[in-house]
Amino acid sequence: MTARFDEVIHAPHRLRICAMLAAAEQVEFSVLREGLGVADSVLSKQLKVLVDADYVQLAKPTGQGGKVRTWASMTRLGRAAFKDHLAALQEMVAVVEQPTGSRG
Amino acid sequence: MENNDTYSAHEALQDVRQAQTHVDDTVAGAGSPAWQMAACGWLLGLTTCTFPMEASVLKYVILLGALALILAISITAVRREQAAGVQSSMRRELRRRPGAMVALIALSVMSAAAMPIIDLTGSPEWYAVPVGIVQAVGFTVLALLLSASQRRGSTR
């Protein structure tokens, strides 16, 4: 795993979307919306950025009663990018938390 | 517009933890298929151990009943996850919990080993070991197949 800061992922909403998707195989649109506490349009916009970056893919299967539900999942590329981004964040926190004396 | 300048790495990591906890709670509330399968495997082993009886229709009914229960609980777990809006993958769940993977395999092997197949089939005693292994592998493959079909179903 290599630490690599990713501007596409780092935006607060997108980071939380990626965190939720990384913890499961697929997450439904309404669960993401509730988790983020945002409007449909805001979530759609953020998902589009992630889809365009090939980090997330959307599926719209017809559920029970013919109701269409949108499911989001992370691509392999997205999972790798998210993992690298987390490593970069952890490195930053580690640097900040280092004792003053050890910085030279 | 989001302000990335004021979004520190520390805050970001906290957000990540909170978001993942939210998903983990939802998955746990719905019931992970992997744990359901492990529980059913143990149930199957227990059923087999506590009823060491001669081959009979009742014996077949008990064993088939236990197998039907495994499938029913697994399918229920998948449907509950779909209704909850979060689908976990058994493969991913097991990868995140190596102990659960070991437990599932161990339970499968124990269930298979405890099953008095010889009485059912009338096969020679040496046949019990390969049958037990086939059952253990089959049980695990079944769990993975259910997980895969769950994903396929939702992306159709």
Side-chain angles (χ1 to χ4, degrees):
Chain A
M1 183 170 63
T2 53
R4 190 175 64 86
F5 191 88
D6 194 312
E7 285 289 349
V8 175
I9 291 178
H10 190 62
H13 286 150
R14 292 200 288 273
L15 182 72
R16 286 161 68 194
I17 291 169
C18 288
M20 290 174 82
L21 294 179
E25 194 67 19
Q26 292 191 106
V27 181
E28 211 256 321
F29 188 90
S30 63
V31 175
L32 288 173
R33 187 188 57 210
E34 283 161 24
L36 264 62
V38 296
D40 284 6
S41 57
V42 175
L43 177 56
S44 295
K45 188 181 161 188
Q46 301 300 337
L47 280 174
K48 188 179 182 311
V49 174
L50 292 169
V51 169
D52 288 346
D54 201 21
Y55 288 172
V56 167
Q57 58 190 13
L58 301 177
K60 296 188 178 187
T62 306
Q64 286 179 334
K67 191 180 170 188
V68 177
R69 299 170 80 188
T70 303
W71 290 85
S73 61
M74 262 189 146
T75 61
R76 194 180 288 261
L77 179 68
R79 287 192 187 275
F82 179 65
K83 208 180 267 188
D84 292 349
H85 184 69
L86 276 189
L89 292 178
Q90 278 156 355
E91 272 187 13
M92 283 181 205
V93 170
V95 168
V96 170
E97 287 177 353
Q98 261 182 355
T100 316
S102 65
R103 288 184 197 173
Chain B
M1 186 77 187
E2 293 157 354
N3 185 356
N4 292 350
D5 297 337
T6 58
Y7 193 46
S8 74
H10 195 261
E11 283 175 319
L13 286 173
Q14 273 185 336
D15 276 356
V16 167
R17 273 193 288 272
Q18 276 178 2
Q20 292 192 328
T21 303
H22 178 74
V23 172
D24 284 343
D25 287 349
T26 311
V27 170
S32 160
W35 286 110
Q36 303 279 357
M37 288 295 281
C40 287
W42 199 80
L43 176 68
L44 180 62
L46 186 69
T47 306
T48 312
C49 288
T50 49
F51 290 94
M53 46 198 288
E54 296 297 317
S56 64
V57 173
L58 181 61
K59 190 162 193 170
Y60 283 108
V61 168
I62 290 168
L63 291 175
L64 288 175
L67 282 169
L69 191 61
I70 288 170
L71 286 173
I73 290 177
S74 301
I75 291 166
T76 303
V78 169
R79 287 189 175 164
R80 283 181 65 184
E81 283 196 339
Q82 284 177 337
V86 176
Q87 289 187 358
S88 64
S89 151
M90 189 175 303
R91 195 161 41 96
R92 191 170 302 286
E93 291 287 308
L94 291 177
R95 207 185 297 154
R96 288 171 71 190
R97 300 184 184 88
M101 170 107 68
V102 173
L104 181 64
I105 293 168
L107 284 169
S108 302
V109 172
M110 278 191 282
S111 297
M115 196 178 289
I117 289 289
I118 306 157
D119 291 345
L120 279 173
T121 60
S123 303
E125 198 168 343
W126 61 267
Y127 196 61
V129 175
V131 166
I133 292 167
V134 167
Q135 277 186 315
V137 173
F139 196 78
T140 309
V141 169
L142 175 66
L144 294 171
L145 284 176
L146 276 170
S147 175
S149 68
Q150 169 195 357
R151 286 197 303 281
R152 271 201 306 275
S154 62
T155 51
R156 252 198 312 256

